[in-house]
Structure formats: structure tokens, C-alpha cells
Amino acid sequence: MRRSRSGFTLFEVALALVLLLALSGALLTVTWNVSRLSASTEERSERETAVADLFHRLEAAAIGAHATSFSGGAGWNGDEASLRVSMTGFGDLPRNIAVSYSAERGEVELKDVPVGTGVSADASAALRIAGVSRFRLQYFVGGRWIGAIPEGEAPAAFLVSLWFGSPADADGAARAESPPDRARVFALLGATLGDGE
Amino acid sequence: MIAARRGAFLLEALLALAIFVAMGIALVRITDRSATAAAGSAASMRAFDVARSGMALLESGAATPETLGDVLGSLGADGGFEVDVRTSPAATAGVVDVVVEVRARVSGDGATASRLEQAIVLPRGIVEAAR
């Protein structure tokens, strides 16, 4: 009798073990879910902020765009996956803005290279957006939307569309067929001012 | 005495369990709330994209106030939002006051998700239509 009171019974120890295991399992599940949700929220938030930054820079490029580049060519060059704009910002040095998309890396890259400062055109990217499964540029030229800027013409507007996800991922590939996650139209003020009353 | 000690042990264990469960629930709620806030912030950014795109389409002549919603939809740039446009002539000739309002289509509460008001120079045909 005295012996049985000095410790725990087998049933008590087994019950304690079961409870401990159940609680540990629940704790692990909660921690795993919370950390996964937290990581995905952080990643999404960083990507949304980077896209907002990209749109902000492109808006500035649309306002300060030149008809001709600093080397004498067209100020605008673009196709479905890349765009280069020669521009002068407000109080800034003349600069070339270049946006491109790498399907292999699932990454959009923006380079902002000041002209005449000795900075190489291969300067590191000013902005990188990872986790983009599809990227598309369209241009409004001559009353219709097309996939590349014809030589010698400037678009009245251009549309940037981004789909999030990994290109290699099946989910990312499926999402690339649905409407874009972010899209923005930019107007070139210089192209429309001449048409106003 | 031993029975009383055992009772106290059980109470302690239950209290520890309750604290543990409460902490778990609080953690999940905080994370869920921050995820909801992040989703709301992303929706606001999308609504602003739609409003800004609408203004750019009008400025460039790619859409008229009447066709703006359809053009945004056909370009896949409406983000699932409804767009409402109002125009009125500004004091300066050739300039039109444009208000673009963007509302969520799904929520049904009709709350404005984004609103832009801007005096812009519209292409000639649209200026005449706005008068």
C-alpha cells in the first residue's frame, strides 16, 4: 500500500505520455502553420511593395520620357518582356530605365542607369521582383494594343501585367492563365498633350 | 495528505494546459489578423492600380468614360473591381475634372476601395463628349 503511493501508477504515466505527445503534436502543428503563414505573408508583402516601387518608377519614366534616346535613337524600345525608356526626371540627371523579365528565374529586374556619370549599363539592378510566373508588356499605339513598339513610334500608353508564383510550379503555371495579380496602365503625357484642345 | 497533494498536482497540470491552449489560440489569432491586414493592404494597392490605370486610359485616349470599365476588363486590369467615372468641365479650356471610383464587386457593401480625382487633358473627342 505504501509502495503504491510513493510513485505513479503505470496508467498515470501512460496517460501523461499520451497527453504530452498530443500537446507536443498540437504545438508543432500550430508552430509550423504559424511560421508558414508568417513567411508567406512576409514574402507577399515584400513582393507587393516591390511591385509598388516598380510602378512608381515606371510612372516617373512615363512622365519624364524622351522621344529620342541620349545616343540619338528612339527614346522608347519595348516588346512583351522588356522595355527601355530614356528619361529626364524632375531635377534628376538624364537616365535610362530598363525593365526585363527572366522566365528561367521567374524574376523581373529594373535597371536605372544615370547617363554621363560613368556608371556602366551593366550596373546592378535597382530593383528585383522574384516569384513572378508571368510578365507581360502591351503598348497602345495607333488606337490598338500591341506586343511591341514599332520603330519610330511612341506609345500613347503601356500596360504592365504580373502573375505571381513560380513558373516551374504547376500552380504558378495554372495561375498564369487567369487574370494578372497586378496590372497597371501608364499614359505618356507627351503623346496626348498635342491632341488636347 | 498524499491525496491532497495529488489533487493539487492535477489542478496545476490543468492550469498549465489551459495557459498553453490560451497561448496557442492567441498566437493563431494574432497571425491570422496580421495575414488579414496584409491581404487588405494588397487589395487597397490593387484598387489603386485600377483607379490609376483608369485615369491613364482616359488620358491616353485608349478609353472613354463610357467604355472605361469594359476596356479595363478586356485588358485584365480591372482586378475584380467595379469602376465608376464622372467627368465635368474644368475652368481651364481643354481640361476636364475626372473622378474615378473603384468598388469591390464581391463584398457587396458598396464601399469605395479607391478614389482618384484629377484635372486632366483628355484627347479631343473625349473632351467634347464630357461637355
Side-chain angles (χ1 to χ4, degrees):
Chain A
M1 185 67 183
R2 187 175 168 77
R3 194 180 165 193
S4 69
R5 288 190 176 189
S6 65
F8 299 104
T9 64
L10 180 62
F11 177 73
E12 283 169 332
V13 172
L15 187 67
L17 273 175
V18 168
L19 274 174
L20 192 69
L21 279 174
L23 280 174
S24 302
L27 180 68
L28 273 176
T29 309
V30 167
T31 311
W32 168 251
N33 284 338
V34 165
S35 88
R36 207 176 48 171
L37 187 63
S38 169
S40 96
T41 303
E42 191 180 335
E43 185 195 342
R44 201 180 314 150
S45 172
E46 276 174 10
R47 198 167 43 194
E48 297 282 3
T49 307
V51 173
D53 193 9
L54 172 74
F55 286 175
H56 177 71
R57 285 165 184 263
L58 287 175
E59 186 118 50
I63 292 170
H66 281 256
T68 54
S69 74
F70 304 107
S71 56
W76 287 84
N77 279 298
D79 54 32
E80 283 202 337
S82 67
L83 170 67
R84 190 188 56 74
V85 186
S86 299
M87 63 170 283
T88 303
F90 298 108
D92 287 340
L93 288 166
R95 55 213 310 119
N96 287 320
I97 301 286
V99 183
S100 59
Y101 173 64
S102 163
E104 290 78 27
R105 295 198 307 273
E107 196 173 89
V108 175
E109 189 180 82
L110 180 138
K111 284 185 178 177
D112 183 348
V113 183
V115 176
T117 55
V119 177
S120 158
D122 296 326
S124 61
L127 178 68
R128 273 202 178 92
I129 307 169
V132 178
S133 63
R134 191 179 165 200
F135 178 77
R136 187 180 64 196
L137 287 157
Q138 290 169 279
Y139 309 92
F140 189 68
V141 183
R144 63 197 178 99
W145 289 94
I146 52 178
I149 304 172
E151 206 170 321
E153 292 192 55
F158 65 99
L159 166 65
V160 182
S161 306
L162 295 104
W163 287 258
F164 297 146
S166 167
D169 186 9
D171 181 45
R175 282 178 65 182
E177 298 306 316
S178 55
D181 289 300
R182 292 290 294 269
R184 174 84 81 86
V185 179
F186 301 89
L188 271 86
L189 297 183
T192 51
L193 275 171
D195 295 327
E197 281 192 340
Chain B
M1 184 63 191
I2 289 171
R5 177 69 202 120
R6 278 191 169 188
F9 177 72
L10 181 63
L11 273 178
E12 284 162 11
L14 283 174
L15 187 65
L17 268 176
I19 291 171
F20 182 81
V21 169
M23 281 174 68
I25 290 171
L27 191 66
V28 170
R29 276 194 185 166
I30 289 168
T31 313
D32 190 48
R33 206 172 291 173
S34 73
T36 307
S41 162
S44 296
M45 283 194 210
R46 280 170 179 74
F48 178 74
D49 284 346
V50 176
R52 200 69 204 87
S53 294
M55 204 63 90
L57 286 168
L58 294 172
E59 282 179 290
S60 63
T64 65
E66 292 74 29
T67 62
L68 185 59
D70 293 337
V71 172
L72 279 167
S74 69
L75 292 171
D78 67 356
F81 290 96
E82 269 178 7
V83 182
D84 183 34
V85 189
R86 292 194 303 277
T87 58
S88 56
T92 309
V95 179
V96 177
D97 286 326
V98 180
V99 177
V100 177
E101 283 186 346
V102 176
R103 292 189 186 87
R105 215 173 259 160
V106 185
S107 70
D109 58 4
T112 303
S114 188
R115 184 179 191 276
L116 271 182
E117 186 169 356
Q118 205 173 317
I120 59 175
V121 180
L122 293 174
R124 184 169 295 141
I126 301 175
V127 173
E128 282 159 4
R131 281 185 173 155

